[in-house]
């Protein structure tokens, strides 16, 4: 226990980790703020739940190329890839802000902006999160990712709330201009990062060979396969509800933009509490079970949210759901980083991005259901399907519910 307690202060004295963590602050705030503002803008421009879902679909579609990005990142300096991504994000924010101010904003601008922002988000796992795995010790990986997720959850409280306030006061341009400022700060921090690529002792194979090697490597681990399977379930049947949350809040709960922001923020508050508990108490033998049960809790909360017609009840439900989400979001990266060898982490985390990239097809499905039926029923059907799939996952991947699964897997690496 004493040795474990020493890990956290040591982590916070790691200058490289602190800079990477700080960049995550900037991008994390804007990810949640942008999703709310773009959803509300699309709904305002089109009054179409389906087109809201399409905008979310385009944002996460580039994740499909995560494996390719992971292979590319192994050949280039990840620091420069991260800086390039921040420049793209700052530029998109500046253009969207200008279009809103000039009253020229159209749906296709938001759709294209979502896709470009999503292209950068797709590099998060094989670039910045892989860098975190490189600059901290293996013993600190779980706590490093948990600490980052705690911060991301805190910013998830701030981001949607700020987005709702901007929409209700000065307008969407305020949120996009904030993005320009935060991404620019991120660029400055990234430029100050004294990061050196790990020395490659072996000659890298061609991209196709690396991808094949990565797939074969992952197939040997039930823990990695199980993690990817749950990632797919979570993103197709769980996270897809986010596009319809503002629509349900408008049409069913009948609340203002500020209260919609608070609705999303309270989910972040639950995620913050859950991630904080993981930072303090979780050890490697807890990781897979936290991941599985947290994911299931989130899906159950979404089903309950879809049936709620009272705002404060919805707040409580989403707070609990946020706790479950923290188990998924924190452990997803921690499991893969811990289980993978250093030379395979880029490809392994790239595979996570690919499975997240399949998830947006759930956005199209839930959008179509919302159009044919209604948004609340669409969320109910989708999340209920996810719960069924999670119980199947418990049966198919029994190792994910065993306390020794992850450490055994890492020892066999």
């Amino acid at each position: 226990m004493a040795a474990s307690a020493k890990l956290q202060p040591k982590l916070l004295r790691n200058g490289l980790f602190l800079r990477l963590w700080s960049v995550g602050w900037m991008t994390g705030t804007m990810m949640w703020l942008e999703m709310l503002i773009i959803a509300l803008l699309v709904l305002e421009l089109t009054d179409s739940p389906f087109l809201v879902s399409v905008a979310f679909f385009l944002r996460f579609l580039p994740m499909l190329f995560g494996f390719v990005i992971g292979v590319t990142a192994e050949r280039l300096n990840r620091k420069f890839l991260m800086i390039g991504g921040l420049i793209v994000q700052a530029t998109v924010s500046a253009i969207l802000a200008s279009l809103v101010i000039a009253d020229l904003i159209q749906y296709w601008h938001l759709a294209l902006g979502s896709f470009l922002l999503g292209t950068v988000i797709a590099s998060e796992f094989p670039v910045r999160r892989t860098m975190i795995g490189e600059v901290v010790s293996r013993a600190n990986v779980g706590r490093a990712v948990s600490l980052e997720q705690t911060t991301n959850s805190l910013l998830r409280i701030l981001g949607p709330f700020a987005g709702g306030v901007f929409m209700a006061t000065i307008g969407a341009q305020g949120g996009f201009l904030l993005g320009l400022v935060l991404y620019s700060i991120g660029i400055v921090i990234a430029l100050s990062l004294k990061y050196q690529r790990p020395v490659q002792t072996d000659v890298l194979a061609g991209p196709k060979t690396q991808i094949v090697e990565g797939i074969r490597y992952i197939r040997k681990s039930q823990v990695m396969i199980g993690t990817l399977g749950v990632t797919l379930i979570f993103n197709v049947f769980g996270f897809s509800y986010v596009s319809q949350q503002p629509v349900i809040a408008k049409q069913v709960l009948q609340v203002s933009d500020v209260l919609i922001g608070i609705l999303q923020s309270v989910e972040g508050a639950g995620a913050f509490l859950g991630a904080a508990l993981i930072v303090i108490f979780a050890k490697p033998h807890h990781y897979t079970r936290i991941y599985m049960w947290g994911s299931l809790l989130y899906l159950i909360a979404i089903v309950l949210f879809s049936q709620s017609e009272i705002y404060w009840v919805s707040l409580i439900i989403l707070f609990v759901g946020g706790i479950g989400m923290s188990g998924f979001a924190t452990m997803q990266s921690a499991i893969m980083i811990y289980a993978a060898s250093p030379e395979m982490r880029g490809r392994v985390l790239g595979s996570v991005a690919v499975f997240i990239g399949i998830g947006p097809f759930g956005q199209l499905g839930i959008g179509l259901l919302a159009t044919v039926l209604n948004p609340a029923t669409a969320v109910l059907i989708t999340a209920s399907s996810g719960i069924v799939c999670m119980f199947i996952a418990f049966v198919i991947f029994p190792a994910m519910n065993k306390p020794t699964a992850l450490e055994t897997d890492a020892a066999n690496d």
Side-chain angles (χ1 to χ4, degrees), residues 62 74 201 216 232 302 309 363 380:
E74 290 184 5
T201 55
R216 288 175 177 169
L232 182 62
I302 293 172
E309 297 181 357
Q363 295 286 358
L380 172 64

Side-chain angles (χ1 to χ4, degrees), residues 129 133 138 141 145 332-340 345 348-349:
R129 291 212 178 185
R138 191 170 194 172
V141 163
V145 176
Q332 181 188 55
S333 295
I335 290 170
M336 298 301 263
I337 291 173
Y338 193 92
R345 282 177 183 161
V348 166
L349 288 176

Side-chain angles (χ1 to χ4, degrees), residues 92-135:
V92 171
S93 294
I95 292 173
L96 291 178
S98 300
L99 290 169
V100 173
I101 292 170
D103 199 24
L104 297 173
I105 194 74
Q106 296 180 34
Y107 176 73
W108 74 267
H109 297 140
L110 297 169
L112 179 60
S114 291
F115 180 78
L116 293 174
L117 292 169
T119 301
V120 179
I121 291 172
S123 70
E124 167 74 3
F125 284 92
V127 177
R128 193 177 67 86
R129 291 212 178 185
T130 298
M131 290 170 72
I132 288 175
E134 291 171 345
V135 303

Side-chain angles (χ1 to χ4, degrees), residues 155-212:
L155 297 174
R156 190 177 178 185
I157 301 171
L158 175 63
F161 177 73
V165 170
F166 279 130
M167 289 295 293
T169 54
I170 64 176
Q173 65 268 29
F176 292 129
L177 288 173
L178 177 62
L180 175 60
V181 172
L182 292 183
Y183 290 135
S184 298
I185 293 172
I187 292 169
V188 173
I189 294 173
L191 286 170
S192 72
L193 188 68
K194 293 181 172 60
Y195 168 80
Q196 297 292 331
R197 288 180 61 196
V199 177
Q200 291 284 352
T201 55
D202 299 324
V203 178
L204 288 176
K208 182 178 179 180
T209 301
Q210 284 186 280
I211 291 173
V212 172

Side-chain angles (χ1 to χ4, degrees), residues 262-319:
I262 292 174
L263 196 65
Q264 290 197 0
S265 294
V266 78
E267 190 174 318
F272 175 77
L273 173 61
L277 292 173
I278 290 171
V279 169
I280 297 170
F281 297 111
K283 294 179 174 59
H285 63 270
H286 298 138
Y287 289 178
T288 52
R289 287 181 293 173
I290 291 173
Y291 182 67
M292 296 293 284
W293 289 101
S295 301
L296 181 60
L297 175 61
Y298 182 74
L299 289 164
I300 292 171
I302 293 172
V303 168
L304 296 176
F305 168 75
S306 72
Q307 299 305 293
S308 172
E309 297 181 357
I310 302 172
Y311 181 74
W312 67 265
V313 173
S314 298
L315 287 176
I316 295 172
I317 291 171
L318 291 185
F319 178 81

